[in-house]
Amino acid sequence: MNIMQRVRVRGGIVVAIIVLIVTAALTWQLSKARCIQLVGDVTCRVETEAKLVALTFDDGPTPEGVDAVLAELGPRGIHATFFLIGNRMEKFPGQAERLIAAGHELGNHTYSHQRNLGRSQEFYAAEIAKTDALLQRAGSDTKLFRPPFGKRLVGLPLEVERAGYRTIMWDVEDQPEKFTAPRAFAQDILARVRPGSIILIHPMYRHNQVARDALPLILDGLQAQGYEVVTITELLRRTGRR
């Protein structure tokens, strides 16, 4: 092989490496895109002029998380959507039923809350189906799904669609890594809310105390701004998305 041939080969290898890196980066970005999905329907917010927002909570259920959230939502007459993890439902029986009894709706957040990338279709199907069975046993019939960490490409959305679920993302998420004081935590969320927003808060685990302390401030702030807080199903129904 002469010098020019070696140069061409090396150049081709460099180009191939660059293409692979760029493809991997784009794939990673696509996997966590809130409002873009290659398969099936995804909702991260709805377009509306009405001052409606949906309030959602992820993970759990845990007794301390359910206690704290119900204590704030109940007196205000607010209903929300809880995306629950199957193995947490098994560990803490009765908590999902408490949420339903209080008028809230439940969603599927997979069974084990692992990152759902690069897995088999059988894995995705089992993660959805096992939690679906637990949700039905608790008395839920709402077909709403939220991927762990918001990550999904093609395989997971395919199984979500096959199971008759709808993927629900968000456009306003809590940022506990940035705001460790309840008031700043709440103000950050309130500053980003707009009509049709889907708000995501993580109040379920022991280390989520700031989120629990911020919740009444968030609820009072939404009311002061004239927002009505509803479930995902109600938001979709009221805005003609059902």
Side-chain angles (χ1 to χ4, degrees), residues 57-80:
F57 300 97
D58 275 13
D59 303 342
T62 64
E64 63 265 37
V66 173
D67 286 347
V69 175
L70 290 185
E72 297 300 334
L73 298 184
R76 293 174 171 82
I78 291 174
H79 294 132

Side-chain angles (χ1 to χ4, degrees), residues 84 86 89 96-97 100 106-108 128-143 163-165:
L84 304 184
M89 294 174 68
E97 288 83 354
I100 290 176
L106 308 184
N108 190 322
I128 297 167
K130 286 193 288 187
T131 301
D132 182 72
L134 291 165
L135 290 169
Q136 290 188 50
R137 196 177 308 159
S140 173
D141 60 359
T142 307
K143 292 288 188 175
Y165 274 86

Side-chain angles (χ1 to χ4, degrees), residues 7 58 63 68 78 87 103 113 120 129 144 146 151 176 210 233:
V7 169
D58 275 13
I78 291 174
N87 63 20
H113 200 265
S120 68
L144 303 173
R146 178 168 284 163
K151 300 291 191 298
V210 175
T233 296

Side-chain angles (χ1 to χ4, degrees), residues 140-193:
S140 173
D141 60 359
T142 307
K143 292 288 188 175
L144 303 173
F145 177 84
R146 178 168 284 163
F149 312 102
K151 300 291 191 298
R152 74 264 185 244
L153 277 171
V154 177
L156 179 60
L158 272 173
E159 296 304 328
V160 170
E161 188 172 47
R162 286 172 182 163
Y165 274 86
R166 178 176 191 158
T167 300
I168 303 296
M169 296 289 281
W170 61 86
D171 68 318
V172 179
E173 180 181 12
D174 54 3
Q175 301 185 79
E177 71 284 355
K178 291 180 62 176
F179 301 97
T180 56
R183 187 163 297 281
F185 184 108
Q187 288 173 343
D188 171 62
I189 288 177
L190 293 170
R192 290 182 286 130
V193 167

Side-chain angles (χ1 to χ4, degrees), residues 37-71:
Q37 188 164 288
L38 297 176
V39 178
D41 184 56
V42 61
T43 301
C44 63
R45 65 176 300 273
V46 300
E47 292 293 337
T48 180
E49 295 181 3
K51 299 202 80 173
L52 288 172
V53 295
L55 182 59
T56 69
F57 300 97
D58 275 13
D59 303 342
T62 64
E64 63 265 37
V66 173
D67 286 347
V69 175
L70 290 185

